Amino acid sequence: MSLFDALYREGALRTVDHALAQALRRLDRDTPDTVLAAAALASQAIARGHAAFDPRSPQWLSEAAIEWPDGDEWLAQLADSRWIATPDAEQAADAAAPLVLERGLLYLRRYREYERRLAQGLRRIAAFAPPPADLDALAPIFAALFPQARDDDRQGRAAALALLQSLLLATGGPGTGKTTTIARLLVLLIAQAQLDGVAPPRIALAAPTGRAAERMAESLRAAGEQLGALDGIDAAWCEALPRQASTLHRLLGSVPDSPRFRHDARHPLAFDVIVVDEASMVDLPLMCKLVEAVPDGARLILLGDRDQLPSVEAGDVLAAIVDAAGDDDGVPAALAARLQPLLGPLPVRADPMPLSPYRVHLRRGYRQADSLDLAPLAEATRAGDADTVLALLREGGLSGVHFHEDVHDPLSGAGRERLLPAWRAIGDAADPAQALQRAAQLRLLTALRDGGQGAAPLNARIEEALAGVHRPAYFHGRLLLITENSYRHGLFNGDIGVCLRARGDDGGELPGAATVAWFAGGSEGVRAFHPSALPAHSGAFAMTVHKAQGSEFDSVWLQLPRQDARHLSRELLYTGMTRAKRELHLAGSETVLRLALSRHAARVSGLSWRLAER
């Protein structure tokens, strides 16, 4: 049996993967079987989140009991195929070839071009120096905003670098001050414009999801109010900070029924500063289109945590950029000299990587409250240190962290007693604002959508426990999760709402009253929708970790599956854990936990080496 047929019979290929290879076979009956199989796997790789297929490591895509060709021989056969282009790194691939082979990776041509264009775009942005800053005049304002800047304060270093350069990558875990740093940087840029006698910079705030964008705007508004009280800071500078953030799709201008956007290289964005939060969630095609839409001379600031889950779609862009930048233990000598008026002496790197001067890693603690001592567990999880993770969980010495070993049903026993009362209290809230506040206090997070420990069946069981078997679709107190963006409604993927029946003036329920779905936002802080008018949505008492990314909750119950699953990884555990602000409950077995920690959610990509080339 041929390799291509074996892959299809083993269920390793989707229908669309098989169709691509069959199309090549119809166009040329002499196309080798190994080329057909590789073409199908290159298509399959995109569905698995990879940017390309590595013929030397086919097991990344299929664990089927298949005898794979020798990697080097396979690559040689691919290089000879008429369907596969082999261009130089900076050269656009031949549009007549659907596949591209480069540095041992086989790409669908479109995704190779996304990588190439993204690397070119980032280098273009980095090459533009912003207008010269009068650092002596800005020094007093800088010192007021970053009083610890001369003590190796990474927040101050990030802001100082952004004053002198057009590209900044600020990374760090939860609570390391990424948004606070940006708020102070933006105030600094607004102050610089006033000192220079020019208009304040046009600033755009964006994130991959609507919920992440709203959280970013909320954090920036809160930071602006605090900064206005600092000595030496003009309140007018803080009032000039942007008050709203948008999704990246809305920023770029979605075109209905098209992968294109209104803003691109020919029609760039009309902003001077573009700040993108939760950059780890941005996939390869979207990041490419964003970077190409950044006008020459504008600043692009990317914020994110490379240890979180990568994007659902193809690529792990943030991790690739971080890898290409290397560590941030020093800066080039010329840059260190320019920064000295603000930061004092800095460590110097004699031979920095091309992107290293544009990256700062923030290293302060986590955002969690004093009641939750999560940092040691998060660090051990990030490193994949299973022995330390299990020791920390079993010893019980971490405040606010609870380990429910070998518990596979969160809705039985102690779990049921802990979870259901908190969800019942949502329906007892005095008003929609309080109900939404209570809704953010607890979330059940899962690794899977389906299966015994999946979000979908758990939601069904929770809803039955709260409202009975014959419950109405939108019962009082039901939580809803928006699963698609709707600009018409102002609702976005990841938004959480609550269903409530109308109440009388005395606070009592009105017989026969209609149920209304309430979401945060609007001039009064909440907005009402008829449930039937909502965009696509599902239940939200239980959510997958992927859906929870960009959100945070007072208490999190993180449920691991009974059996190992392919996509379980240390990044998934880390992301789920760090959604908790005050209390974390982790449930699962030692076996599954160890397997998850041994697995790194790496993606096959060539972006890192493209960016690292000089």
Side-chain angles (χ1 to χ4, degrees):
M1 183 186 301
S2 71
L3 174 61
F4 175 53
D5 291 337
L7 285 168
Y8 191 63
R9 291 195 179 184
E10 288 284 345
L13 303 178
R14 301 169 301 159
T15 301
V16 66
D17 309 327
H18 186 261
L20 170 63
Q22 290 285 48
L24 299 182
R25 174 181 277 168
R26 284 194 300 271
L27 291 169
D28 184 351
R29 303 295 298 180
D30 294 328
T31 301
D33 173 71
T34 51
V35 173
L36 297 176
L41 289 169
S43 174
Q44 172 67 219
I46 303 302
R48 297 286 185 89
H50 303 289
F53 165 58
D54 184 354
R56 291 193 177 97
S57 301
Q59 295 83 5
W60 282 58
L61 293 183
S62 174
E63 297 176 352
I66 290 175
E67 184 176 347
W68 298 102
D70 175 78
D72 291 332
E73 293 180 3
W74 199 355
L75 287 170
Q77 292 171 341
L78 296 177
D80 288 338
S81 172
R82 60 175 291 193
W83 303 121
I84 300 174
T86 56
D88 294 335
E90 296 297 321
Q91 180 185 0
D94 184 355
L99 301 159
V100 178
L101 184 64
E102 191 171 11
R103 290 210 178 186
L105 299 182
L106 184 67
Y107 295 84
L108 295 184
R109 182 177 59 83
R110 181 156 52 104
Y111 283 83
R112 185 266 184 178
E113 289 304 298
Y114 283 140
E115 269 195 11
R116 183 185 66 84
R117 288 159 44 195
L118 174 55
Q120 287 184 343
L122 287 170
R123 286 196 292 267
R124 170 184 63 86
I125 294 170
F128 272 88
D134 186 344
L135 298 187
D136 291 330
L138 285 173
I141 302 170
F142 187 90
L145 291 168
F146 300 97
Q148 307 298 321
R150 293 179 176 269
D151 298 325
D152 194 28
D153 173 47
R154 296 304 179 96
Q155 295 186 6
R157 185 189 295 188
L161 286 171
L163 275 177
L164 302 180
Q165 302 179 142
S166 292
L167 178 65
L168 175 67
L169 176 64
T171 59
T176 51
K178 296 187 292 291
T179 307
T180 301
T181 301
I182 295 310
R184 293 173 183 249
L185 165 61
L186 296 180
V187 168
L188 192 64
L189 293 174
I190 292 167
Q192 178 190 3
Q194 185 182 78
L195 292 176
D196 293 343
V198 299
R202 298 165 297 174
I203 302 168
L205 307 177
T209 67
R211 181 60 193 137
E214 182 59 29
R215 276 192 50 226
M216 181 188 192
E218 290 171 358
S219 299
L220 204 66
R221 288 193 292 266
E225 292 174 2
Q226 296 175 353
L227 293 176
L230 294 178
D231 291 337
I233 302 301
D234 189 335
W237 301 338
C238 301
E239 292 171 1
L241 288 170
R243 299 292 172 181
Q244 302 296 327
S246 72
T247 64
L248 285 169
H249 286 81
R250 189 169 191 176
L251 174 71
L252 293 171
S254 296
V255 177
D257 302 319
S258 171
R260 300 182 181 276
F261 294 100
R262 288 193 295 274
H263 293 287
D264 54 20
R266 294 183 179 181
H267 307 92
L269 294 162
F271 292 100
D272 305 301
V273 182
I274 299 162
V275 184
V276 179
D277 198 10
E278 298 289 354
S280 64
M281 299 170 65
V282 184
D283 59 59
L284 174 61
L286 184 57
M287 186 67 84
C288 174
K289 294 168 186 178
L290 168 68
V291 165
E292 290 187 328
V294 174
D296 290 344
R299 287 180 172 89
L300 175 63
I301 300 170
L302 302 177
L303 312 176
D305 182 355
R306 66 99 20 104
D307 296 312
Q308 287 192 31
L309 282 167
S311 60
V312 175
E313 304 299 333
D316 191 357
V317 176
L318 181 67
I321 298 174
V322 169
D323 290 343
D327 63 56
D328 64 343
D329 291 337
V331 298
L335 187 57
R338 295 177 65 194
L339 292 171
Q340 188 159 355
L342 300 179
L343 303 177
L346 288 174
V348 173
R349 292 185 62 167
D351 187 27
M353 299 174 72
L355 287 184
S356 60
Y358 306 96
R359 184 217 175 183
V360 176
H361 186 63
L362 307 179
R363 300 180 179 178
R364 290 183 180 175
Y366 290 80
R367 66 163 168 250
Q368 285 73 25
D370 293 338
S371 60
L372 179 57
D373 183 17
L374 188 59
L377 182 63
E379 286 300 316
T381 300
R382 184 184 62 80
D385 186 346
D387 290 338
T388 299
V389 167
L390 284 162
L392 289 170
L393 290 171
R394 286 168 170 163
E395 289 168 3
L398 300 180
S399 175
V401 176
H402 308 275
F403 185 35
H404 306 275
E405 189 164 5
D406 295 325
V407 170
H408 301 295
D409 185 358
L411 300 180
S412 65
R416 186 181 185 89
E417 296 173 5
R418 183 179 299 276
L419 297 173
L420 291 182
W423 289 324
R424 289 195 178 100
I426 296 172
D428 296 332
D431 54 51
Q434 186 182 67
L436 288 169
Q437 185 179 29
R438 290 183 179 181
Q441 291 177 354
L442 172 67
R443 193 67 82 242
L444 171 57
L445 300 184
T446 71
L448 309 172
R449 171 173 169 74
D450 301 306
Q453 292 83 33
L458 284 173
N459 263 315
R461 291 179 59 201
I462 293 165
E463 292 177 359
E464 180 178 333
L466 295 175
V469 176
H470 303 294
R471 60 193 178 277
Y474 300 100
F475 62 85
H476 182 73
R478 186 190 182 198
L479 292 185
L480 300 178
L481 171 69
I482 299 298
T483 56
E484 70 176 13
N485 294 331
S486 174
Y487 296 102
R488 180 168 63 90
H489 294 84
L491 294 173
F492 303 97
N493 187 9
D495 284 353
I496 301 291
V498 60
C499 295
L500 299 174
R501 282 193 298 272
R503 296 176 180 269
D505 294 337
D506 61 354
E509 294 181 7
L510 297 175
T515 300
V516 176
W518 294 89
F519 289 82
S523 58
E524 298 182 1
V526 292
R527 296 172 295 159
F529 297 87
H530 192 284
S532 64
L534 291 172
H537 55 277
S538 64
F541 295 104
M543 298 169 59
T544 63
V545 174
H546 272 100
K547 283 293 185 183
Q549 199 167 355
S551 299
E552 58 183 357
F553 311 98
D554 289 345
S555 180
V556 164
W557 182 293
L558 178 57
Q559 181 66 55
L560 300 184
R562 186 184 300 270
Q563 304 293 333
D564 184 34
R566 185 187 186 96
H567 68 271
L568 279 177
S569 66
R570 67 186 69 168
E571 288 81 6
L572 185 141
L573 292 176
Y574 173 87
T575 303
M577 290 175 179
T578 54
R579 299 311 92 201
K581 292 195 295 183
R582 300 184 181 278
E583 188 178 48
L584 170 67
H585 294 264
L586 177 61
S589 67
E590 174 182 350
T591 300
V592 170
L593 191 58
R594 284 188 178 276
L595 288 169
L597 288 167
S598 70
R599 192 176 288 122
H600 180 47
R603 300 281 178 83
V604 175
S605 167
L607 181 59
S608 181
W609 66 256
R610 292 181 198 279
L611 292 169
E613 286 193 330
R614 300 180 186 277

